[in-house]
Amino acid sequence: MATTFYPSAHLAELFFPLASDENAMLQVIEKIAISDYYQGFETGIFHQPTTAKKIRTLAQQHALHVTQWLTFELLKEQLNLSSLDAALREKSIRRACELVHLAAECGTTKLSLVSGSDPGDAPRAEAMKGFSEAIVRIGEEVGQYEGMLLQIEPLDRFAHKCQLIGPTSETVEWMTALRPDCPKLYLAWDSAHVALNQEDLAESLRLAAPLISQLHLANAILDPQTAGFGDYHMKFGEPGFLTQTTAAHIINTARHLPLPGELGAISVAIEMRTTDQDDLWDNERQCREFLQRAWHA
């Protein structure tokens, strides 16, 4: 049976200049909610209780899936869930657990995060052990909320972001072993990081399929000798690798894989960051049309 997908708007990136203005982001969500296309959206964490309540109400009224990222908050506060510094890691875990409850106020269904930096070959096992403990504790907080899951996005290990959690095969092995202690743990698959890890996109999807809870169609320049090399959340198309054909290939490949049936549906979003100089809603339109073309190719 083919997997069901739904289109999601990555608002934290598409409306990046507004990300720290909760009222402005609420207005964006209100406009997205009444569109006839998106069935979900992604943001950072909201702190104002009144804003969170409005977002939760909008999501319920319009049957929207809410994804929120802890990443922005943790980076802002210079926290690191996989730090080799036990005190910093503990501080990071406690803060992440607090943010779980803020996310719940928005009706979040997918709470998302990334690991910290890769410390290198020798101390990697120690960092993985610490990060595993962090994920189990955060997962216990997530487990208090019916309908909420915890998802980790593997990043590139060697090219640009150089994160602890990276290559697909290694990530799947680690997550599968951790699943008994964190049963609501899933994987947020990102095309840019898979490509920067020099992995085959289809093979990565196949390996990760039983754990995948969302797809990010993200572009990157893969040639280290080319300006802009790495994951800068660039626009789709050349000089990056994410062409219309590649995006369609990702979606069509995923459609025929055994993704988690218990989720009902998997979100697909374009990840493209805007700047103050951009026409934000025109960029949203371009991403929406790109996704629609890939969807029906």
Side-chain angles (χ1 to χ4, degrees):
M1 181 177 177
T3 301
T4 301
F5 296 93
Y6 65 87
S8 181
H10 197 335
L11 303 181
E13 297 291 344
L14 277 174
F15 294 85
F16 186 74
L18 306 179
S20 60
D21 185 336
E22 294 196 6
N23 291 326
M25 286 302 293
L26 175 60
Q27 292 176 22
V28 170
I29 293 168
E30 288 172 340
K31 191 168 180 178
I32 289 294
I34 60 174
S35 75
D36 59 358
Y37 182 62
Y38 297 111
Q39 296 172 35
F41 58 86
E42 302 181 37
T43 71
I45 297 295
F46 287 81
H47 295 268
Q48 298 175 18
T50 53
T51 305
K53 184 177 180 180
K54 289 177 182 177
I55 292 171
R56 185 186 189 100
T57 300
L58 281 168
Q60 291 172 341
Q61 289 176 342
H62 298 277
L64 294 170
H65 301 268
V66 183
T67 299
Q68 289 191 302
W69 288 87
L70 299 185
T71 310
F72 305 102
E73 293 290 326
L74 298 179
L75 288 175
K76 182 174 66 178
E77 299 176 25
Q78 298 182 310
L79 298 174
N80 182 351
L81 292 166
S82 60
S83 175
L84 295 173
D85 180 335
L88 176 59
R89 189 172 67 251
E90 177 64 25
K91 180 181 179 182
S92 304
I93 294 170
R94 290 186 179 185
R95 182 57 176 151
C97 288
E98 292 172 357
L99 294 172
V100 170
H101 304 296
L102 284 182
E105 294 300 309
C106 289
T108 293
T109 50
K110 288 186 285 190
L111 189 66
S112 318
L113 54 84
V114 300
S115 66
S117 299
D118 178 50
D121 293 339
R124 188 174 295 136
E126 181 185 351
M128 291 292 289
K129 181 176 183 292
F131 189 55
S132 297
E133 293 171 357
I135 292 305
V136 170
R137 285 175 57 185
I138 297 167
E140 289 171 351
E141 299 298 315
V142 169
Q144 298 177 33
Y145 298 101
E146 185 178 357
M148 186 191 291
L149 61 81
L150 179 64
Q151 61 179 14
I152 296 174
E153 180 180 83
L155 303 190
D156 55 273
R157 169 71 64 74
F158 307 107
H160 180 197
K161 299 297 175 66
C162 303
Q163 294 280 294
L164 175 67
I165 302 299
T168 306
S169 59
E170 181 184 306
T171 301
V172 169
E173 182 180 356
W174 168 72
M175 289 182 68
T176 301
L178 199 60
R179 259 304 191 62
D181 295 318
C182 190
K184 298 175 80 173
L185 182 63
Y186 290 85
L187 188 150
W189 189 91
D190 183 287
S191 59
H193 296 297
V194 171
L196 286 166
N197 277 327
Q198 300 182 356
E199 300 179 65
D200 179 81
L201 297 172
E203 176 63 10
S204 171
L205 284 165
R206 186 189 68 77
L207 287 172
L211 297 168
I212 290 176
S213 49
Q214 74 169 37
L215 300 176
H216 271 176
L217 302 182
N219 201 11
I221 291 175
L222 305 182
D223 181 0
Q225 305 306 315
T226 300
F229 167 68
D231 174 48
Y232 290 98
H233 302 175
M234 65 184 290
K235 186 177 180 179
F236 46 82
E238 297 180 347
F241 77 94
L242 189 73
T243 62
Q244 195 76 71
T245 300
T246 302
H249 170 62
I250 291 168
I251 293 173
N252 288 328
T253 298
R255 281 188 174 124
H256 297 93
L257 292 173
L259 280 79
E262 70 272 13
L263 299 184
I266 305 296
S267 62
V268 184
I270 305 293
E271 183 173 22
M272 187 179 88
R273 179 170 292 187
T274 53
T275 69
D276 290 325
Q277 286 72 48
D278 291 320
D279 180 329
L280 304 185
W281 283 104
D282 186 62
N283 276 272
E284 180 278 321
R285 177 192 59 79
Q286 291 181 49
C287 284
R288 174 167 26 92
E289 292 175 354
F290 179 85
L291 181 57
Q292 287 172 321
R293 289 193 298 270
W295 202 284
H296 297 293

